[in-house]
Amino acid sequence: MTISNKTVPFVDLSLQHQPIQGEIEQAIASVIQRGDFVLGKSLQQFEEAFAQASGVDYAVGVASGTDAIALGLKACGITQGDEVLVPANTFIATVMGVIQAGATPILVDCDPHTALIDLNLAAKAITPKTKAIVPVHLYGQMVSPTQLLDFANSHNIIIFEDAAQAHLAQREGYTAGAVGMAAAFSFYPSKNLGAFGNGGILITKDEDIAQTLRSLRNYGAPKKYYHTQVGMNSRLDTLQAAILQVKLPHLSQWNQLRNQAGQIYDQALQSLEAQTIVPIKNVSQEGHVYHLYVIRVKPEYSVSRDRLQDILGEKGIQTGIHYPIPCHLQPGYKSLGYQLGDFPQAEMLCHSILSLPMYPGITSEQISWVVEQLSLIQA
Ligand SMILES: *Cc1c(COP(=O)(O)O)cnc(C)c1O
């Protein structure tokens, strides 16, 4: 077998698209035929289907996951002067969305084993201005819903979930997005449910929040040419909704395949000597939807994380780092006033994490081969 036969891509979207390509093309053709490109029939149908799949009453499609956070927080009543708790280790869009809503993000360090926000530290960051917490269900694993609800109730603040990486994830009997007042999802192409471009959605059990967001995404107009707010132009395109509508019925099966692949990785990595490479801990078993499969390379491992990434790359194994710089050290966010050392766990993770190939359809042979290479480098 040649080396190229062994190449393992980081993601392979064609595996999920090929079997349903005809159906997707039909869905696109119907939109063209109807011509309802903005706020059309497929959008309404997809919103209903996505809300139902997530176990809530309302869903409102917007142009991106970031807009779902920014406009969603506004719709939940978050405004200028409010402080919003967010994890220091997340994709920057979480922090960006809070700022775009007009509020002040207050960063909180994470648990080094799960990489999820540390609620004990979040408690210490509470002030009289704290109005909300935005837990990020990072890598496809939910922050504990029972602990979140206790936390939010005891401090009298709202929960707004960033579920951009956790479509249909579950923990403690809750589904991602059904824990708090509202939740944001992204349909960026590589997310567990991805569009053919950008897209996002907000889900909520609260009819008023859904109504407010429908207006906010549509020029602040609850009815045509009548503008009660400044608003935005941020609708999920009918075409994208039509594509997502075809993909949604396959989502739980894709998630199951991701979960199985995660378990195979976990098992295979246990054989590595002295546990010099440890996976980010799965504390939600079957409910983890593994948007990413992330390992921590400990200092005792034979090479550094960066060197490991290079060596794997040379062997045809594509990897990623999610994320290489924590939010508080991003140059564009200096004005938040943080500095190196403020969030030691997030900083430690940035230097030691590596995301291995993960997508529905990755085979156990591919996973075994990846882990074998890790053990060879170690030896
Ligand atoms: C992808 C992502 C977002 C933003 O979604 P976009 O659709 O790219 O705007 C927000 N938060 C997290 C955690 C994400 O992974």
Side-chain angles (χ1 to χ4, degrees):
M1 208 183 250
T2 62
I3 303 266
S4 65
N5 279 346
K6 288 265 191 178
T7 295
V8 187
F10 185 59
V11 288
D12 185 350
L13 297 179
S14 70
L15 281 180
Q16 53 175 254
H17 291 146
Q18 249 161 22
I20 54 172
Q21 190 169 333
E23 228 183 309
I24 289 175
E25 282 168 7
Q26 254 176 356
I28 293 172
S30 319
V31 177
I32 296 172
Q33 208 156 37
R34 288 200 306 270
D36 57 349
F37 300 110
V38 174
L39 296 176
K41 182 172 145 198
S42 299
L43 175 60
Q44 200 192 333
Q45 288 176 343
F46 173 68
E47 286 174 339
E48 278 168 23
F50 192 81
Q52 196 180 18
S54 303
V56 300
D57 289 333
Y58 306 97
V60 183
V62 292
S64 70
T66 305
D67 282 1
I69 298 171
L71 296 178
L73 282 170
K74 274 191 192 176
C76 289
I78 299 301
T79 183
Q80 201 149 16
D82 292 346
E83 291 182 356
V84 176
L85 303 172
V86 294
N89 64 316
T90 176
F91 180 52
I92 198 68
T94 315
V95 182
M96 195 171 90
V98 171
I99 294 173
Q100 285 178 356
T104 305
I106 302 296
L107 271 49
V108 176
D109 211 354
C110 62
D111 177 301
H113 305 290
T114 61
L116 299 173
I117 191 166
D118 183 331
L119 293 178
N120 293 319
L121 295 176
K124 294 187 181 145
I126 294 270
T127 76
K129 290 180 179 170
T130 313
K131 292 286 151 52
I133 180 168
V134 181
V136 179
H137 302 318
L138 198 68
Y139 306 148
Q141 169 155 257
M142 290 178 74
V143 178
S144 166
T146 51
Q147 288 176 26
L148 264 177
L149 288 163
D150 279 352
F151 176 81
N153 289 337
S154 67
H155 297 289
N156 197 24
I157 60 172
I158 67 165
I159 300 169
F160 184 98
E161 297 163 74
D162 180 343
Q165 302 188 357
H167 316 69
L168 301 190
Q170 296 212 321
R171 187 166 171 185
E172 300 162 358
Y174 289 86
T175 302
V179 181
M181 183 172 263
F185 292 82
S186 164
F187 301 126
Y188 183 84
S190 62
K191 298 287 158 88
N192 288 38
L193 182 61
F196 289 2
N198 284 296
I201 207 164
L202 175 125
I203 68 172
T204 179
K205 295 167 209 157
D206 187 310
E207 190 178 1
D208 291 339
I209 291 172
Q211 269 317 114
T212 306
L213 189 70
R214 278 198 189 97
S215 164
L216 277 174
R217 72 170 174 181
N218 195 36
Y219 318 110
K223 60 184 191 203
K224 206 166 188 181
Y225 304 133
Y226 181 70
H227 306 276
T228 52
Q229 286 157 297
V230 175
M232 286 246 306
N233 174 353
S234 178
R235 284 84 48 121
L236 176 62
D237 287 340
T238 308
L239 267 178
Q240 299 297 354
I243 293 161
L244 290 163
Q245 208 185 347
V246 175
K247 293 182 75 173
L248 180 61
H250 301 274
L251 178 58
S252 33
Q253 200 222 336
W254 290 334
N255 281 343
Q256 261 172 38
L257 290 171
R258 287 176 181 273
N259 184 275
Q260 281 162 15
Q263 293 191 30
I264 296 170
Y265 265 124
D266 275 357
Q267 197 111 63
L269 283 168
Q270 269 174 22
S271 64
L272 278 194
E273 254 173 66
Q275 300 289 295
T276 48
I277 285 190
V278 288
I280 292 297
K281 207 168 169 190
N282 176 358
V283 286
S284 42
Q285 286 83 39
E286 257 63 275
H288 192 327
V289 296
Y290 284 99
H291 171 58
L292 295 165
Y293 186 84
V294 179
I295 56 169
R296 258 172 64 202
V297 182
K298 290 198 177 169
E300 304 85 62
Y301 190 72
S302 53
V303 297
S304 71
R305 188 275 312 272
D306 289 348
R307 182 76 192 111
L308 173 60
Q309 186 174 35
D310 288 345
I311 297 173
L312 291 176
E314 285 157 19
K315 289 168 182 278
I317 298 168
Q318 294 176 358
T319 58
I321 298 171
H322 301 88
Y323 298 90
I325 304 172
C327 297
H328 66 290
L329 300 179
Q330 292 290 355
Y333 290 74
K334 279 207 181 94
S335 62
L336 294 179
Y338 296 108
Q339 54 189 0
L340 186 69
D342 282 348
F343 304 107
Q345 303 302 344
E347 291 168 16
M348 177 277 293
L349 285 174
C350 288
H351 293 297
S352 56
I353 47 176
L354 190 67
S355 309
L356 300 180
M358 167 58 80
Y359 49 89
I362 188 171
T363 65
S364 51
E365 288 76 21
Q366 286 174 308
I367 293 172
S368 303
W369 192 68
V370 171
V371 174
E372 199 183 305
Q373 303 317 303
L374 293 174
S375 65
L376 287 177
I377 295 164
Q378 184 194 37

